[in-house]
Amino acid sequence: MSIHQRAIAIDMHVDTAQRLVDEDVDIQQQLSDGHFDAVRAKTGGLDAQFFSIWVEPQLFGEKGARAMKRADDQISAVRALAEKHPETWLLATSAEDVRRAVSEGKIAALMGLEGGYAIDERLENVQKYYDLGVRYMSPAWSVSTSWAGSSGDDIGKTRGLNEFGKSVVREMNRLGMMVDVSHVSDPTFWDIVNTSTAAVVATHSACRAIADVPRNLTDDMIRALAKTGGVVNVIFYPEHLEPGWHLLKKKLDAEIAPMVQQASEAEPGDAAQKKLARDRVRQREYARRLPPVNVSRIVDHIDHIVKLVGVDHVGIGSDFDGVQITTADLATVAELPNLTKELLRRGYSETEVAKILGGNMLRVMEAL
Ligand SMILES: [Zn+2]
């Protein structure tokens, strides 16, 4: 615990900003549901949190005013959090801010755009979001944009970055906004590493060599990303960690589809509320009917990356509040010390643990 507390722990990805907007949750209190709040973050020794500003294209569009508003609402919610509770949060945009938050005993709140939908196919909007405090962006989430392919749809299998997509990457480099390859297609990944002049990061991904899903990175990709000076931040989601788990989930999803649909129809609220109703059913059924996965599997992925490219290119990106199930013994941010415990058990030194928990990401942010 003392080693964990001395380290600067930076989680690159949670989806709690949507809870702030859609559920109006008060994360100053310990919540009885979800995976993240200020109380549990303190218990878990977390120092800095990147809040994902996620625009779900199926609900808000792949571009246009609604997509932009969805991003802007989440950004406002994160900024309001720091304004209303300055004793807990420090709105941060740099490594220096993160260090200041640590020295003041606060949690640094940072932001990243998940999917480039909100830039509305306009280069000037990259700067707009940079000016609002956004410090990373992934070009696409599970739905391809006109300018970047996603790992989540068929178009993405052959779509990389077009000329506009490459100009977006160059603009991000110019501003000092990290390019995130989590969720992008393989062709997009390669176009990003070949275009970016700055370190490329994956904010919440794992290794395809262990869990063979398109969302994960191949060994060649991990080597190429490391060559840019970047960091693979390992996700804590069983589907991306455990071999074969995605097939069990797919089968279960088919079985519970009518139940999920029914919950959605019974929910009288708006589209976001209906999504919450569907997720509640999935949470319950996954917990009941899918095999548990433990923190040791997260460390298997960390080990794999360390063996490929060394300890300087791995970090953490939980995806808390963005997944319907977590690992059994790292179920919420409060249990983050269990990761340190497992790293130490496997022989990592204090210096190495500190790099993995956040030191490597601080290095990338310092070079922005
Ligand atoms: Zn994601």
Side-chain angles (χ1 to χ4, degrees), residues 209-261:
I210 300 175
D212 188 11
V213 294
R215 259 285 270 117
N216 282 343
L217 302 172
T218 65
D219 290 357
D220 282 347
M221 288 170 162
I222 292 166
R223 286 191 200 96
L225 186 147
K227 221 174 248 177
T228 71
V231 176
V232 179
N233 295 277
V234 174
I235 190 170
F236 300 171
Y237 183 36
E239 182 171 10
H240 302 332
L241 295 170
E242 184 73 12
W245 202 93
H246 71 288
L247 298 172
L248 298 174
K249 175 175 168 281
K250 202 174 165 188
K251 190 165 164 267
L252 181 59
D253 278 337
E255 278 175 45
I256 66 174
M259 211 191 293
V260 170
Q261 182 62 26

Side-chain angles (χ1 to χ4, degrees), residues 13 15 52 54 114 141-142 182-183 203-204 215 235 319 322:
H13 199 99
D15 278 301
S52 165
W54 176 49
E114 182 165 27
W141 174 70
S142 295
S182 289
H183 287 287
T203 62
H204 58 309
R215 259 285 270 117
I235 190 170
D319 213 2

Side-chain angles (χ1 to χ4, degrees), residues 9-219:
I10 306 174
D11 179 355
M12 291 304 293
H13 199 99
V14 296
D15 278 301
T16 313
Q18 295 119 54
R19 299 204 72 192
L20 296 173
V21 173
D22 296 331
E23 302 173 67
D24 199 24
V25 290
D26 176 11
I27 64 167
Q28 295 308 107
Q29 297 178 35
Q30 179 157 347
L31 300 169
S32 59
D33 62 353
H35 312 132
F36 186 92
D37 52 60
V39 179
R40 287 182 286 180
K42 284 274 173 199
T43 305
L46 185 78
D47 297 294
Q49 184 62 60
F50 271 88
F51 289 91
S52 165
I53 307 301
W54 176 49
V55 174
E56 192 174 4
Q58 294 96 327
L59 298 183
F60 303 98
E62 287 158 36
K63 56 181 179 177
R66 280 171 61 236
M68 294 184 77
K69 183 179 183 302
R70 180 63 173 169
D72 296 351
D73 286 349
Q74 291 173 68
I75 290 168
S76 299
V78 173
R79 297 185 71 98
L81 189 66
E83 278 157 24
K84 276 187 218 151
H85 307 287
E87 70 290 355
T88 306
W89 300 96
L90 189 152
L91 188 74
T93 56
S94 65
E96 196 189 334
D97 289 345
V98 171
R99 292 189 195 280
R100 196 168 81 243
V102 172
S103 72
E104 293 175 9
K106 298 174 184 176
I107 309 168
L110 303 105
M111 293 180 284
L113 261 182
E114 182 165 27
Y117 313 107
I119 71 162
D120 192 29
E121 299 180 352
R122 282 181 289 166
L123 203 57
E124 63 266 30
N125 282 332
V126 181
Q127 169 122 36
K128 174 199 151 172
Y129 285 107
Y130 179 89
D131 291 343
L132 286 171
V134 170
R135 286 297 176 272
Y136 73 70
M137 178 171 76
S138 59
W141 174 70
S142 295
V143 178
S144 297
T145 54
S146 66
W147 50 278
S150 163
S151 64
D153 60 17
D154 282 336
I155 300 169
K157 288 184 181 120
T158 51
R159 183 175 293 174
L161 293 176
N162 67 6
E163 276 314 309
F164 174 74
K166 288 174 190 167
S167 69
V168 170
V169 168
R170 285 190 286 265
E171 176 70 352
M172 292 171 76
N173 287 162
R174 183 184 74 80
L175 292 165
M177 188 189 284
M178 293 178 279
V179 187
D180 176 14
V181 297
S182 289
H183 287 287
V184 302
S185 67
D186 290 10
T188 303
F189 173 91
W190 291 109
D191 284 343
I192 288 171
V193 293
N194 290 326
T195 305
S196 178
T197 54
V200 171
V201 298
T203 62
H204 58 309
S205 291
C207 307
R208 219 181 283 178
I210 300 175
D212 188 11
V213 294
R215 259 285 270 117
N216 282 343
L217 302 172
T218 65
D219 290 357

